[in-house]
Every structure is written in structure tokens, then in C-alpha cells.
Amino acid sequence: MDDVTEGFIRVNGGNVWFRITGKGPGTPLLLLHGGPGGKSNSRDPLRALGNERPIIQYDQLGCGNSGRPRNTELWTVERYVEELEQVRNALELEEVHILGHSWGTMLLAAYLSKQPQGVKSAIFSGPALQARRWEQDQRNHLKKLPLEQQEAVEKNERLHTTDSPEYQAAMYSFYHRHLCRLDPWPPEVSEELENMNPQIYNFMWGASEFTVTGILKDYDASEWLQELKMPALFTCGRYDEATPQATAYYASLVPEAQFHVFENSSHMPSVEEPEAYMKKIREFLVQQEK
């Protein structure tokens, strides 16, 4: 696409990479990628909205094209919140819509709890807003895998051998059901998993989606979601790690929030149903600017 700007922003701890797609007249949309330790998707269908509004992506510190310091003191929710504010300031985003996906919804919720100025709306895509509920939902998903894979997960987590081939095989079987159901996976899904920073993921979350042992284990945004004063949209896939039941619950906590399920998707509707995903997000953004 034309009108693409890339560069780096100095933040506490290093440099983060950003990309701005489009120069449309609407309020910019800032995207917060998943993980922790993930990266931006160069094929994100929302970039096609750049003729309507700037679409801004950035790789969080330690991720993707950004700097990769190895200091675990940098891997905290508080520092990532600070980083988000530094990105906004550097790009002069006085008014902005923000979309978080997966871990990005945790970051978004934590950022909004600081009551920043100029955020016109919030979109929670595949929300992970209670770490313990997320873990329990994945445990429930796990019960639907073949028994030998369930046993492989339990055994290898007990023995701390989660890098074993049988554990990895069980994890990928789970991913094909609840992360992305396309077969074969498109390149961006494999790239995201291959380029994930395992140090950040393990430190903040744990060895896998099934068990949270990292610093996020007590994360819970539910108590103050009802204090959000801006328009909000909560979305998930029918087969999502972020279950429709959990997502609907989070939406119920926010006054007048919208809730939508992508019926043919799991955790990556932007990949599994890109046209429907783009249409829904665009529709919500246009509503806020009438």
C-alpha cells in the first residue's frame, strides 16, 4: 500500500519499531498486538482502512522489529503502559482509537485504567481480561483433545519438560482448534509463533496457554471495566481461546458496550475471516465519528 511510514521511537529500555499505513482524514487507529512477546502482522486486513484513517502498528519492546534487551525488569504491565503513552506522544496521537488483541487487551485495559485523554473508543479483540478465567477456559478446551494429548500436557507440565516433542504436538493440536482453524495455516500465523520472544512469554505468562505461572497470573481487569466512559467493542471467534461466554461477560461490564462473535473463527478472525473482521471494525469506528 502507498503512504506507509516506518521508523523507531525511543522508549524507556530501548527502541520500538512502528509503521503507519495511510493518511485518511479519520481519527487514527492504534493496534496493540498479542503475545506477550508477539509482533505486528504485516498482512493485517485493517491496514486496508488507511485511506479512511491512519492505521498505526508498533512492535512492543523485545518483540518483532523492535529492540530486544534481555532485562526482565522491562517485562511488566506498568512499563508497557508507559511505552504505549510514549508511542502516542512521539506520534502526536492526541485523539486515537485503540484496538488490542489477546494480550493487547490486557495492555489496553491497564492503559485505560489510568484514564488517558483523547482515547475515542476501545476495541477488545479476543479479550484476556482475567488471567485465571483464561487459564480455566483453556483447561476446558484441553479436555476436548484426545486423551493421550491431555495426558502429555499434564505429565510434561508436572515434570517441567514442556519443550518435549509430545507436549509441543499437543499444544499445536490445541492451536489448530482454538488459535487459527485454517488448514494449512497462512504464513503470518506460522511467522508469529516462530518469531515470538519466548523469554517474554514465559516470564509474563508461562510455558503455554494452559497454565499461567508468570507475572500476569493475578491480572484481573473486571473490577473496573464498568468505569470505562468511552464506546467499546468486544469481539471473539466462536471457537476462540477467548470464549464467547467470557467475552460477553466483559462486554456486560462496560456501559453500552457492543459485542460480536465471528462465527467461523477461533482466536485470529483477522486471519480466518479478514473481510468480516475489517467490516465489523470499520463499522464500529464509523459509528463513533458520525
Side-chain angles (χ1 to χ4, degrees):
M1 175 179 282
D2 295 334
D3 294 327
V4 176
T5 301
E6 298 184 15
F8 289 88
I9 296 168
R10 182 68 186 176
V11 300
N12 290 348
N15 295 314
V16 298
W17 170 89
F18 73 91
R19 173 171 53 215
I20 304 174
T21 302
K23 296 181 179 179
T27 301
L29 173 63
L30 177 62
L31 307 181
L32 308 179
H33 64 69
K39 61 183 284 292
S40 300
N41 176 11
S42 62
R43 300 175 183 86
D44 195 310
L46 297 180
R47 295 183 66 199
L49 302 178
N51 62 330
E52 299 180 11
R53 69 187 70 251
I55 306 299
I56 301 162
Q57 300 168 289
Y58 75 97
D59 288 342
Q60 297 151 25
L61 190 65
C63 306
N65 294 316
S66 293
R68 293 206 171 199
R70 299 182 62 83
N71 182 0
T72 57
E73 293 180 0
L74 297 171
W75 317 139
T76 67
V77 175
E78 292 76 16
R79 198 211 59 82
Y80 278 120
V81 165
E82 183 180 66
E83 175 183 284
L84 172 50
E85 183 66 15
Q86 291 171 330
V87 168
R88 274 193 71 187
N89 289 337
L91 299 180
E92 299 180 346
L93 301 175
E94 294 184 10
E95 291 194 338
V96 66
H97 302 283
I98 307 181
L99 182 153
H101 176 248
S102 196
W103 140 252
T105 66
M106 289 181 158
L107 174 56
L108 174 55
Y111 180 66
L112 294 179
S113 73
K114 308 297 184 184
Q115 299 183 321
Q117 298 297 307
V119 181
K120 308 301 289 183
S121 76
I123 302 172
F124 297 85
S125 174
L129 297 175
Q130 293 174 299
R132 292 301 182 186
R133 178 162 186 164
W134 180 276
E135 179 185 60
Q136 186 57 56
D137 284 341
Q138 306 333 303
R139 287 283 163 179
N140 290 337
H141 286 323
L142 182 60
K143 293 174 183 176
K144 299 172 185 176
L145 291 182
L147 183 59
E148 63 270 20
Q149 292 184 336
Q150 297 181 45
E151 292 173 345
V153 168
E154 297 296 344
K155 181 187 77 173
N156 286 283
E157 289 196 346
R158 186 174 64 252
L159 298 175
H160 303 288
T161 52
T162 53
D163 56 350
S164 70
E166 64 175 358
Y167 185 90
Q168 294 297 312
M171 189 171 67
Y172 272 83
S173 179
F174 169 86
Y175 283 159
H176 279 281
R177 291 172 181 237
H178 301 293
L179 180 73
C180 179
R181 294 169 70 87
L182 297 181
D183 187 18
W185 277 352
E188 57 264 40
V189 177
S190 299
E191 287 171 10
E192 178 158 344
L193 291 177
E194 290 167 4
N195 292 312
M196 178 81 72
N197 186 329
Q199 180 192 23
I200 298 176
Y201 183 81
N202 290 335
F203 181 77
M204 296 189 73
W205 187 260
S208 77
E209 301 293 272
F210 311 130
T211 307
V212 53
T213 57
I215 63 168
L216 291 172
K217 64 180 181 293
D218 295 319
Y219 182 99
D220 188 341
S222 62
E223 292 185 2
W224 50 263
L225 281 176
Q226 59 191 357
E227 298 176 11
L228 286 185
K229 298 294 194 291
M230 67 201 62
L233 170 65
F234 291 77
T235 75
C236 66
R238 176 58 63 190
Y239 310 98
D240 207 325
E241 295 176 272
T243 65
Q245 293 81 5
T247 305
Y249 169 67
Y250 300 138
S252 75
L253 299 177
V254 179
E256 300 183 12
Q258 298 182 34
F259 167 60
H260 182 79
V261 177
F262 295 98
E263 293 294 340
N264 298 306
S265 292
S266 53
H267 196 48
M268 290 187 162
S270 65
V271 174
E272 296 164 286
E273 295 182 76
E275 291 298 324
Y277 185 75
M278 180 178 66
K279 180 181 178 183
K280 184 60 187 178
I281 302 304
R282 179 184 182 276
E283 176 186 278
F284 174 75
L285 294 173
V286 170
Q287 285 177 0
Q288 312 318 316
E289 297 181 357
K290 286 183 178 178

